[in-house]
């Protein structure tokens, strides 16, 4: 079957991820993460691509980029191919290293840009690798702390300065919750849905002056209203809503 054409962003901003094949921990070791960062930097000099945020996890990576879609695809194809060659040689293996081609989503407005920026930096915290995003070495957040760009583009520092008065304000922004679902590996997307659904449940309980979130779960009328709210805000099907609700119910009062 032919590949589905990538959607083109009207802003030329994209959120990109790629994961190791069969969920392999292709960035398990520090030198593998360092090598990937080296390749990102090496080919930035030859391509008109601007990096605004990144994080390298053990099984996948996230990038927030600005580029023409064709240039972006060419840039990543070279980076991923070189890393695959390095990884296969290092581990004495053959074959694919990444699961299919990289995935991308369009970043069409400023709000989504900043929420995506935060989501990328919070990946290690959400994965319980560190307690604070700044404690993770392999992300762009430290470049924003020092305001010295290595991987990220100099324009990224400029818009960071226009957004935040200082780095502490930036860190505070990272601690805020979000109700958007971002491109990620499937299991992380499901975790996002559950977290957002729980946040909506807590908000609804507060607005209704209830003692706790469990009251919505236990009342049939409030329960139906909550499901309608989930379907409307998350733009999901009724079947997906029911599955998500069961996960929320398990978190609140058990199975």
């Amino acid at each position: 079957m032919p590949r589905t054409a990538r959607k083109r962003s009207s802003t030329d901003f994209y959120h990109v991820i790629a994961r190791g094949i069969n969920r392999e921990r292709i960035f398990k070791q520090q030198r593998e993460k360092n090598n990937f960062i080296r390749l990102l930097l090496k080919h930035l000099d030859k391509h008109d691509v601007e990096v605004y945020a990144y994080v390298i996890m053990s099984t996948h990576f996230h990038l927030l980029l600005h580029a023409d879609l064709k240039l972006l695809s060419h840039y990543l194809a070279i980076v991923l191919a070189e890393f695959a060659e390095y990884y296969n040689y290092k581990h004495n293996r053959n074959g694919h290293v990444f699961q299919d081609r990289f995935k991308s989503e369009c970043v069409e407005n400023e709000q989504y840009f900043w929420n995506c920026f935060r989501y990328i930096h919070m990946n290690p915290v959400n994965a319980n690798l560190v307690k604070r995003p700044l404690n993770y070495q392999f992300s762009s957040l430290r470049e924003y702390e020092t305001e010295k760009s290595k991987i990220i583009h100099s324009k990224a520092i400029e818009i960071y300065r226009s957004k935040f008065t200082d780095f502490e304000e930036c860190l505070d922004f990272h601690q805020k919750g979000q109700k958007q679902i971002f491109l990620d590996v499937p299991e992380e997307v499901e975790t996002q849905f559950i977290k957002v659904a729980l946040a909506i449940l807590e908000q609804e309980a507060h607005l209704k002056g209830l003692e706790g979130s469990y009251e919505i779960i236990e009342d049939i009328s409030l329960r139906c209203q909550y499901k309608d709210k989930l379907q409307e805000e998350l733009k999901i099907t009724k079947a997906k809503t029911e599955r998500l609700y069961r996960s929320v119910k398990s978190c609140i009062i058990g199975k």
Side-chain angles (χ1 to χ4, degrees):
M1 293 180 62
R3 289 180 173 180
T4 303
R6 294 189 187 278
K7 292 183 178 179
R8 184 177 296 275
S9 168
S10 63
T11 65
D12 283 339
F13 275 99
Y14 297 91
H15 174 206
V16 172
I17 73 163
R19 72 182 303 181
I21 193 166
N22 298 323
R23 302 181 183 179
E24 287 185 20
R25 299 177 67 189
I26 58 174
F27 304 114
K28 180 181 179 180
Q29 298 177 345
Q30 180 171 319
R31 67 178 183 268
E32 290 165 346
K33 295 184 179 73
N34 282 330
N35 181 269
F36 188 71
I37 289 174
R38 181 184 64 80
L39 291 173
L40 289 174
L41 184 59
K42 171 186 175 182
H43 293 288
L44 279 176
D45 293 337
K46 307 170 186 175
H47 295 80
D48 190 15
V49 174
E50 301 170 0
V51 178
Y52 284 76
Y54 67 87
V55 68
I56 316 300
M57 304 294 284
S58 62
T59 61
H60 65 286
F61 66 83
H62 291 262
L63 296 169
L64 180 57
L65 304 165
H66 181 268
D68 175 80
L69 186 56
K70 287 185 177 180
L71 290 177
L72 170 62
S73 296
H74 186 253
Y75 167 72
L76 285 175
I78 293 175
V79 170
L80 298 189
E82 284 199 22
F83 181 82
E85 182 180 2
Y86 153 82
Y87 186 83
N88 280 338
Y89 178 80
K90 179 175 179 288
H91 293 278
N92 194 29
R93 69 188 291 277
N94 294 300
H96 295 291
V97 171
F98 291 94
Q99 184 76 49
D100 301 322
R101 59 178 183 163
F102 70 88
K103 296 181 180 179
S104 62
E105 65 180 351
C106 301
V107 179
E108 296 289 6
N109 57 61
E110 184 177 354
Q111 180 185 24
Y112 199 82
F113 172 91
W114 288 114
N115 286 339
C116 186
F117 171 90
R118 172 174 55 199
Y119 179 74
I120 288 173
H121 291 147
M122 290 299 289
N123 249 243
V125 177
N126 294 333
N128 296 316
L129 298 178
V130 293
K131 291 185 178 180
R132 300 174 67 247
L134 192 58
N135 292 343
Y136 193 71
Q137 181 179 352
F138 303 99
S139 88
S140 50
L141 193 56
R142 290 188 176 189
E143 294 188 41
Y144 285 102
E145 180 191 27
T146 61
E147 297 190 13
K148 295 179 180 178
S149 60
K150 178 182 177 182
I151 301 295
I152 62 174
H153 198 271
S154 58
K155 291 180 184 176
I157 300 296
E158 293 177 12
I159 64 168
Y160 156 80
R161 288 173 177 165
S162 68
K163 173 72 173 177
F164 304 106
T165 56
D166 54 33
F167 187 66
E168 286 303 314
E169 185 180 352
C170 178
L171 287 180
D172 288 343
F173 171 75
H174 280 78
Q175 300 306 316
K176 294 180 180 179
Q178 51 85 21
K179 291 186 179 180
Q180 290 177 307
I181 307 298
F182 295 95
L183 180 68
D184 210 323
V185 296
E187 55 270 26
E188 292 298 330
V189 171
E190 187 61 27
T191 298
Q192 287 185 67
F193 270 108
I194 294 171
K195 285 184 176 181
V196 172
L198 286 168
I200 293 173
L201 180 68
E202 184 177 340
Q203 180 184 60
E204 289 299 296
H206 175 73
L207 291 175
K208 295 180 186 302
L210 303 178
E211 183 178 318
S213 301
Y214 65 89
E215 292 189 55
I216 292 179
I217 301 296
E218 295 176 351
D219 184 284
I220 187 170
S221 177
L222 295 177
R223 188 163 67 237
C224 289
Q225 292 175 30
Y226 170 62
K227 290 180 182 179
D228 289 342
K229 186 83 171 179
L230 287 181
Q231 189 171 354
E232 178 185 355
E233 290 206 10
L234 298 179
K235 296 178 174 57
I236 54 179
T237 64
K238 190 170 183 179
K240 171 65 177 177
T241 301
E242 288 296 331
R243 291 195 298 271
L244 181 57
Y245 170 76
R246 288 196 292 271
S247 296
V248 169
K249 177 176 177 287
S250 296
C251 292
I252 301 299
I253 60 176
K255 296 181 180 180

